[in-house]
Amino acid sequence: MMTETTSAESHPFLAEVSRLLHLMVNAVYSDREIFLRELISNASDACDKLRYEAIAHPESLGADDRLHITIIPDKAAGTLTVADNGIGMSRQELMENLGTIAKSGTRAFLEQMQQAEEGSGLIGQFGVGFYSAFMVAESIEVTSRRASSDEAWVWRSDGVSGFSISPPQSNGALPPRGTSVKLKLKKDAFIFLEPDEIERIVRAYSDHILFPIELKLPGEPARQINTASALWHRAKSEVTDEQYTQAYRSITNTIDEPALTVHYKAEGRQSYAVLLFVPKLRPYDLYDPNRKGRVKLYVRRVFITEDAGLLPAYLRFVRGVVDSEDVPLNISREMLQKNPLVGQIRTAVTGRLLTELERFASRDAKAYEAFFETFGSVLKEGIYEDPTRRDQLLKLARFRSTAGSGWRSLADYIASMRPNQNEIYFLAGDDPTRLAASPQLEAARARGVEVLLLTDPIDHFWTSLSLKFEGKPFRSLSQGEVDLTAIPLLDESKAAEKEAAGADIKGLIDALRTALGEAVTDVRASKRLTESAVCLVAPRGGPDLGLDRLLQRQQTGVTSRPVLEINPNHPLITAVARRVADKGKEEAAEWAHLLFDEARILEGDTPADPASFASRMNQMMLKALGVQ
């Protein structure tokens, strides 16, 4: 029986929904037609959910077991209805799904849409597709009855003053199971009532939807206007690039084109079809802390979940479908992670996708670099997390380096290694400009040694694993002692000058070590400095400087004890060495802290005690000016 309620309950939209609807209602977008794609996609999801629920509860389908979507244009009334006989929504689900926006990317969507010249391409990307209907509708009425329920509810809104929910006005008869979305179209949107236009949009955006999409015109029987066949089960030779692009846009709710499409069928011990897309644009949830993938698992064309973990977290930017013939239809979502068949699919699909990325890199280097620019920081997570595929991921990685402004592969790096060079040198930090100017690069620069400049947070972690590539170990220039003297200088005349200019600084090192005490692990003469007076490096065996700073930001109270290296050939150091020899320990303490703070500043840090640093600098400048 229907619940009797005499009046509708009115509710305001949450603030972010109101902002979003204001943009939808008052802005004009060139691709307004995507609203129909979004409503059809929602209807398809509802049918998918009911078909999955019916595996365990067949009674949910009842006698109405042919799931379909119906589009009903009414020119006389100026309305367009998109209806489905899927799972439907309860009153609470209407409140939650249509009265709020639960997606974490809503705020980012609003910011990007306000900045974009044409915001429609962002709509589906941020999970707010239903609201796109307000681009063409003066008001919307949603009638929904959940499967197996004896209640139905009507949600109404003009997109401005909030929304209301009430039972449908009827003579007591229940509306059919599912959801009906009726749009009262704006006058400038009446084009979407034309049958030819509706069919064009469905063919362009929704032809591959697995459920029949029917067009119901007044006085005519409903007729199907999509092929309703799973694109991933077709042979590659039968699918056009345009069909792939439209399938990608429907699956991802975006309007860009895929950078890479992977489509194949596996047969043998297991049978499954795969259709995967690597996007060109970065999904809004790419850096979501949960790092969940978005590849949908189907079993014999029945949608199961998009949270099956079919790809590792470092490939979470990939979108698409895997449709298995062997996984049990009644498998629970909780058991998917432990299912051996799903595990085998996960291993095989991951390997195939990485192989396709390798082919992509060989086939079109520029396009691959554009891909890596967008997703490289995520792909490199696998170097740290996936030991079995580490070598393959290192081949796929691209890096900025001191060799120029372009991307470099590790194969490029090894091909340009200098005589007697046996290691892959890198410098990790968070600012590429600061890294390129780091004093720790000086010895390498003097010898023409290329250095990788790593600026993604994950770089600090995978480089801590003592890895090798083609037998060449990775070596940080900011950790431990680095001796490049076996590699010839670009200008050999500088070697003799350096040897002649060197000074005995053992006494200075002992004095600085004593003065700095627990602030440093050690003080030593540097073999990596050629121009700067000082630099800081991490002790051998501990975290690199970049990783150490990252850990400090995460752990309150953690203190770093770096090594202070001084350049025995620098005029300042030789002068300070003579000064300390003449004046003794008191003078050494002042210079020790000044040099240590200078090294910290070169690393992008602040002096340990800014006030003391300023005071020492003032005193030094006054002496230089002859005031004291």
Side-chain angles (χ1 to χ4, degrees):
M1 291 290 294
M2 290 281 297
T3 300
E4 298 295 333
T5 302
T6 57
S7 62
E9 299 177 11
S10 297
H11 304 271
F13 285 118
L14 295 184
E16 287 186 341
V17 180
S18 295
R19 286 179 59 206
L20 172 63
L21 291 177
H22 177 78
L23 288 170
M24 293 287 188
V25 172
N26 295 287
V28 177
Y29 301 108
S30 62
D31 294 323
R32 295 195 302 171
E33 65 190 33
I34 69 166
F35 84 91
L36 187 54
R37 179 196 71 185
E38 296 296 322
L39 295 182
I40 292 172
S41 179
N42 290 344
S44 175
D45 288 345
C47 292
D48 268 329
K49 289 176 181 177
L50 179 58
R51 189 159 61 172
Y52 180 79
E53 183 175 287
I55 295 170
H57 303 285
E59 67 277 7
S60 299
L61 279 173
D64 186 14
D65 60 355
R66 180 180 174 270
L67 298 174
H68 61 283
I69 300 162
T70 306
I71 301 174
I72 309 169
D74 187 336
K75 291 183 180 180
T79 62
L80 181 69
T81 301
V82 178
D84 67 74
N85 61 342
I87 198 164
M89 288 179 280
S90 66
R91 178 184 178 280
Q92 185 61 32
E93 288 169 330
L94 279 170
M95 290 276 292
E96 293 174 353
N97 295 339
L98 304 186
T100 64
I101 304 177
K103 298 286 186 180
S104 62
T106 301
R107 184 170 287 106
F109 163 77
L110 288 166
E111 292 171 355
Q112 289 194 31
M113 193 159 122
Q114 286 174 312
Q115 295 169 4
E117 293 182 5
E118 294 184 358
S120 60
L122 299 171
I123 292 168
Q125 182 180 355
F126 285 88
V128 291
F130 169 78
Y131 298 97
S132 65
F134 281 104
M135 292 191 295
V136 298
E138 293 178 352
S139 62
I140 300 177
E141 179 180 288
V142 180
T143 302
S144 195
R145 175 189 162 200
R146 209 181 194 288
S148 303
S149 173
D150 60 358
E151 291 184 341
W153 299 93
V154 180
W155 181 99
R156 296 183 178 90
S157 177
D158 59 4
V160 177
S161 56
F163 63 93
S164 67
I165 292 184
S166 65
Q169 297 177 354
S170 67
N171 57 5
L174 279 170
R177 179 197 69 222
T179 301
S180 170
V181 181
K182 179 185 287 188
L183 312 182
K184 178 67 175 177
L185 293 180
K186 298 175 182 178
K187 285 187 170 51
D188 66 354
F190 278 11
I191 182 66
F192 299 115
L193 296 174
E194 297 296 332
D196 290 346
E197 183 67 5
I198 293 171
E199 290 189 57
R200 182 191 67 80
I201 295 170
V202 169
R203 284 195 303 271
Y205 294 111
S206 307
D207 192 57
H208 73 287
I209 293 292
L210 290 177
F211 304 98
I213 301 173
E214 299 177 343
L215 180 63
K216 178 67 176 73
L217 300 177
E220 298 181 15
R223 58 185 174 86
Q224 186 171 326
I225 57 175
N226 71 322
T227 58
S229 64
L231 192 72
W232 48 90
H233 280 291
R234 300 186 203 172
K236 288 179 66 174
S237 59
E238 298 174 2
V239 184
T240 66
D241 289 343
E242 179 63 21
Q243 288 173 319
Y244 279 132
T245 297
Q246 294 306 336
Y248 162 75
R249 289 173 176 173
S250 180
I251 290 170
T252 63
N253 288 329
T254 58
I255 62 168
D256 66 321
E257 296 181 356
L260 178 66
T261 300
V262 178
H263 180 196
Y264 68 97
K265 285 187 178 181
E267 296 178 344
R269 295 179 63 185
Q270 277 206 73
S271 296
Y272 53 90
V274 177
L275 180 60
L276 300 177
F277 300 103
V278 175
K280 283 186 178 179
L281 300 179
R282 183 177 293 162
Y284 80 93
D285 58 353
L286 184 63
Y287 296 108
D288 188 294
N290 292 324
R291 302 198 307 151
K292 289 184 178 180
R294 293 291 184 269
V295 174
K296 297 180 179 182
L297 173 64
Y298 282 75
V299 175
R300 296 190 287 283
R301 295 171 179 78
V302 176
F303 174 69
I304 304 298
T305 181
E306 68 170 7
D307 190 22
L310 293 173
L311 291 174
Y314 61 84
L315 293 172
R316 60 187 176 274
F317 52 85
V318 176
R319 300 293 192 260
V321 170
V322 174
D323 192 346
S324 171
E325 297 292 328
D326 305 298
V327 174
L329 254 179
N330 60 352
I331 189 171
S332 69
R333 290 181 171 92
E334 292 74 20
M335 293 300 295
L336 282 171
Q337 296 294 330
K338 300 177 182 178
N339 184 273
L341 297 177
V342 175
Q344 292 165 17
I345 291 174
R346 184 182 299 118
T347 299
V349 173
T350 299
R352 176 64 178 265
L353 181 58
L354 294 181
T355 298
E356 292 294 337
L357 285 173
E358 284 189 51
R359 293 171 180 165
F360 180 29
S362 300
R363 182 174 66 248
D364 191 340
K366 290 297 182 184
Y368 182 80
E369 288 174 1
F371 151 77
F372 197 84
E373 180 88 42
T374 305
F375 298 112
S377 60
V378 174
L379 188 67
K380 285 189 292 183
E381 292 174 11
I383 302 175
Y384 183 75
E385 297 174 346
D386 193 346
T388 61
R389 298 184 178 89
R390 190 165 284 155
D391 290 342
Q392 193 172 15
L393 289 165
L394 285 170
K395 288 180 183 178
L396 289 170
R398 297 293 183 267
F399 304 93
R400 302 296 188 187
S401 82
T402 55
S405 59
W407 288 100
R408 300 277 285 172
S409 69
L410 291 176
D412 295 332
Y413 183 99
I414 289 178
S416 63
M417 288 176 70
R418 296 274 289 148
N420 301 328
Q421 181 184 347
N422 298 308
E423 296 175 307
I424 300 171
Y425 296 103
F426 69 89
L427 201 57
D430 54 12
D431 185 331
T433 302
R434 185 180 296 129
L435 284 181
S438 172
Q440 295 150 355
L441 292 174
E442 291 172 1
R445 188 182 297 116
R447 289 165 169 78
V449 173
E450 182 178 3
V451 180
L452 305 179
L453 304 177
L454 311 180
T455 56
D456 291 318
I458 190 62
D459 292 327
H460 299 294
F461 293 92
W462 70 262
T463 55
S464 68
L465 299 176
S466 302
L467 304 182
K468 293 182 179 182
F469 181 78
E470 294 187 3
K472 308 293 184 183
F474 288 85
R475 183 67 184 278
S476 172
L477 289 182
S478 64
Q479 183 178 38
E481 293 190 64
V482 174
D483 187 356
L484 304 180
T485 54
I487 302 171
L489 289 163
L490 295 177
D491 186 351
E492 288 293 346
S493 64
K494 296 286 182 68
E497 294 175 9
K498 178 179 177 181
E499 187 174 346
D504 182 7
I505 57 169
K506 184 178 183 306
L508 175 63
I509 288 175
D510 290 340
L512 296 179
R513 189 182 290 132
T514 300
L516 291 174
E518 292 297 312
V520 296
T521 299
D522 196 11
V523 179
R524 62 176 176 236
S526 179
K527 294 181 179 179
R528 77 188 85 208
L529 295 175
T530 62
E531 301 166 16
S532 301
V534 292
C535 73
L536 293 180
V537 298
R540 188 75 171 175
D544 199 4
L545 285 183
L547 177 58
D548 189 69
R549 280 193 295 272
L550 199 62
L551 295 175
Q552 285 186 56
R553 288 197 290 267
Q554 301 296 323
Q555 303 177 33
T556 304
V558 174
T559 57
S560 174
R561 295 184 62 232
V563 174
L564 175 65
E565 288 194 352
I566 60 176
N567 182 357
N569 305 297
H570 196 280
L572 176 62
I573 298 302
T574 57
V576 171
R578 289 193 297 269
R579 183 90 174 183
V580 169
D582 293 340
K583 300 292 185 178
K585 292 183 179 180
E586 183 177 345
E587 189 82 9
E590 291 298 304
W591 280 107
H593 289 288
L594 271 176
L595 292 172
F596 182 53
D597 285 338
E598 177 186 336
R600 287 177 62 91
I601 292 170
L602 286 170
E603 280 297 308
D605 292 331
T606 58
D609 185 343
S612 296
F613 172 73
S615 176
R616 291 189 185 97
M617 284 296 298
N618 290 339
Q619 292 299 318
M620 292 294 179
M621 287 187 286
L622 288 171
K623 288 180 182 179
L625 293 170
V627 177
Q628 293 183 346

